[in-house]
Amino acid sequence: MIYTITLNPAIDLVIVTKKLEPKVVNRTEKFELQPNGKGVNVSFVLKKLGIDSVATGIGGGFTLDYVISGLKEKGIQTNFLKVKDPTRVNVFTDVLDEKTEYKQVNPGPEVSLEKQNQFLDYLESTLTKDDMVVVSGSFSRGIKPHYLVQLAQLVQKQGAKFVVDSSYLEVIDTLKYQPFLLKPNDAELAAFFNYEGEMTDEKTVAFAQKLVKLGCQNVLVSLGANGAAFINERHILFANAPKIQVVNSACAGDTMLGTFIAFLEKKKPISEALKIAVAAGSDTASRTGLTDFSLDNLLPQISVTERMN
């Protein structure tokens, strides 16, 4: 079973408006409420591709109830631990006249050490060597980034696969536990090595290969408008991105990760998984919700090339 962990779930309020002016009432074109959180999105994407998962994590209040209801509506198993304060609501506003997206992301509820330990106990009593654990996104207040290392250690102890999509620098400290897959974007990859220069393809490969040498088995790098790269001991693959009009980029990386994992689970070639993952992530970025995997107009624009190691 695949377990997606979201330690700071959310409801995303996605607004589309013609203009956004200060100190006046702005009448919007439309809005959507979406159950969200990076791990939650991975579960949604996996389900669309016929892969079951358990969406788990920590949250609270009526807002978490909305997230859980949205998951259950799609037939996704859930097991969230609850705290007193409500799960956050984020706002993403697409202003048509400006061709600009504004993102307002709120902090999550306070999570006690007791609740954090309770969650670790749940995982320890549940995971087997046949499972995969996907930890995505930021943590709620009270959960220190080092918690990521505790999760990595526990997952390795249980013999399961560990997948991480997080900007915390503590990602580096998980490498001793040999994570199955890391999914940084190019800026996060640079930050892991305290690099502030231009992220060329050569730098992307060099830093990803450092992660592999330090213990990571596979690295999937999101390159935004430049597509994505996949690096492990045997392969260096690059995929370009198709041309799209970006509407809401909030869930594109989650879509790419969920799609990539799904196609690996289906035993598809890595090059095929990468190509479809880039197409799906791009499709999500071009709409207000997750992709519906109608990708026929995007896939012909994407080429996967293998480079010499």
Side-chain angles (χ1 to χ4, degrees):
M1 179 61 74
I2 298 174
Y3 293 83
T4 65
I5 296 178
T6 308
L7 294 171
N8 201 7
I11 295 174
D12 279 4
L13 171 59
V14 180
I15 298 170
V16 178
T17 185
K18 185 173 176 57
K19 58 186 178 180
L20 188 63
E21 298 179 350
K23 300 180 181 180
V24 299
V25 174
N26 292 279
R27 301 290 180 182
T28 65
E29 304 295 309
K30 62 178 180 178
F31 75 92
E32 291 184 18
L33 284 173
Q34 301 169 354
N36 212 287
K38 295 179 74 64
V40 168
N41 289 329
V42 171
S43 277
F44 279 130
V45 171
L46 289 171
K47 191 65 177 181
K48 286 172 178 279
L49 293 170
I51 304 293
D52 288 331
S53 68
V54 177
T56 185
I58 303 174
F62 72 97
T63 42
L64 179 64
D65 293 339
Y66 183 86
V67 173
I68 291 172
S69 176
L71 287 160
K72 289 184 174 179
E73 185 178 299
K74 299 298 183 182
I76 298 168
Q77 297 181 60
T78 66
N79 194 344
F80 281 86
L81 275 63
K82 290 194 174 183
V83 296
K84 179 182 177 182
D85 295 331
T87 279
R88 61 193 176 144
V89 177
N90 298 326
V91 182
F92 298 88
T93 305
D94 180 31
V95 183
L96 300 178
D97 282 358
E98 299 178 20
K99 295 183 179 179
T100 300
E101 179 190 24
Y102 293 89
K103 305 178 183 182
Q104 295 170 286
V105 178
N106 292 303
E110 188 74 27
V111 178
S112 67
L113 184 60
E114 179 183 6
K115 189 65 67 174
Q116 294 172 46
N117 289 334
Q118 185 181 343
F119 186 71
L120 292 175
D121 290 342
Y122 156 68
L123 290 177
E124 187 171 17
S125 65
T126 303
L127 295 177
T128 73
K129 63 180 178 60
D130 297 320
D131 295 327
M132 176 185 290
V133 175
V134 182
V135 181
S136 302
S138 64
F139 297 166
S140 291
R141 288 176 292 180
I143 306 179
K144 295 181 179 179
H146 184 73
Y147 195 68
L148 191 61
V149 183
Q150 293 178 263
L151 290 168
Q153 184 178 23
L154 188 153
V155 173
Q156 187 194 57
K157 177 184 173 184
Q158 301 304 107
K161 293 178 179 177
F162 191 55
V163 177
V164 186
D165 178 8
S166 173
S167 61
Y168 293 129
L169 297 182
E170 282 74 8
V171 167
I172 294 295
D173 297 327
T174 71
L175 296 176
K176 69 181 76 171
Y177 303 108
Q178 299 178 312
F180 174 72
L181 176 68
L182 298 185
K183 195 216 75 66
N185 60 34
D186 49 357
E188 291 165 346
L189 183 60
F192 290 158
F193 297 100
N194 197 30
Y195 177 72
E196 297 181 355
E198 180 185 358
M199 278 297 288
T200 62
D201 287 354
E202 291 73 22
K203 284 292 183 183
T204 296
V205 171
F207 288 146
Q209 287 179 329
K210 280 189 178 182
L211 293 176
V212 172
K213 288 178 181 178
L214 290 169
C216 181
Q217 298 176 51
N218 303 285
V219 183
L220 176 64
V221 186
S222 172
L223 301 174
N226 293 320
F230 175 85
I231 293 97
N232 64 14
E233 286 186 341
R234 299 175 302 280
H235 300 289
I236 300 173
L237 300 174
F238 277 82
N240 67 292
K243 294 183 183 298
I244 61 166
Q245 176 65 50
V246 175
V247 173
N248 177 23
S249 62
C251 306
D254 310 331
T255 300
M256 187 175 81
L257 178 59
T259 303
F260 189 79
I261 290 171
F263 277 82
L264 291 188
E265 288 290 296
K266 293 172 182 281
K267 310 298 183 185
K268 298 296 184 181
I270 291 174
S271 58
E272 180 181 348
L274 182 62
K275 181 174 183 176
I276 298 176
V278 169
S282 300
D283 190 48
T284 287
S286 71
R287 57 175 73 211
T288 57
L290 295 174
T291 180
D292 62 2
F293 286 96
S294 300
L295 306 176
D296 290 348
N297 62 322
L298 299 179
L299 286 170
Q301 300 181 50
I302 302 171
S303 297
V304 177
T305 57
E306 181 148 17
R307 304 192 184 182
M308 295 298 293
N309 197 332

